[in-house]
Amino acid sequence: MKQNQVIKTTTLSALVAVSKSENDMDYVQVIPDNPRVGLVQPFSGWGKGQLLNNGSFDFIRKKRVRGKPELQAGYVSLSFCADGFDRVTFTVPSELRAKLPTILRKDILKVINHLIKKGFSR
């Protein structure tokens, strides 16, 4: 942990409702005993929640690890990410599936040329 880092903790007295949806997913809702605007800072994101058999619940939010794309061209994007991985992502509409080999060849050349311009070639 970094020095001088402030950790803000808010403690709630609340009812926790857990229900199963039709597709067997758990839905967890935290309802404070004394709800009021500004009680906690709202957020939306992915994470890992843990509901223990004694009723305790905790949630750890995961940070987004993808970086902003360095290159976006056609159906491909290239990102250099903070997690130590570089990502080449293709997003092709399903109606172009028959043309996928041609699209991949053409767009990967754009990535290769971009990397050569940036000096990543030997």
Side-chain angles (χ1 to χ4, degrees), residues 29-85:
Q29 187 177 18
V30 178
I31 307 161
D33 292 342
N34 186 13
R36 63 183 186 277
V37 175
L39 183 63
V40 294
Q41 185 71 28
F43 74 90
S44 175
W46 291 96
K48 179 142 182 132
Q50 178 175 299
L51 181 63
L52 301 177
N53 59 6
N54 69 359
S56 299
F57 178 77
D58 62 34
F59 181 82
I60 299 172
R61 187 173 174 194
K62 291 185 180 180
K63 295 271 187 187
R64 182 177 174 174
V65 294
R66 293 184 293 150
K68 288 190 175 184
E70 171 88 13
L71 168 74
Q72 282 187 308
Y75 300 101
V76 68
S77 67
L78 168 68
S79 301
F80 301 123
C81 304
D83 65 353
F85 291 95

Side-chain angles (χ1 to χ4, degrees), residues 16-20 26-29 51 57:
V16 177
V18 182
S19 54
K20 287 258 190 220
D26 288 329
Y27 178 71
V28 178
Q29 187 177 18
L51 181 63
F57 178 77

Side-chain angles (χ1 to χ4, degrees), residues 74-98:
Y75 300 101
V76 68
S77 67
L78 168 68
S79 301
F80 301 123
C81 304
D83 65 353
F85 291 95
D86 300 334
R87 290 179 172 78
V88 177
T89 306
F90 287 91
T91 306
V92 181
S94 59
E95 56 268 7
L96 295 178
R97 195 171 289 144

Side-chain angles (χ1 to χ4, degrees), residues 19-27:
S19 54
K20 287 258 190 220
S21 66
E22 294 172 0
N23 58 0
D24 205 35
M25 296 285 289
D26 288 329
Y27 178 71

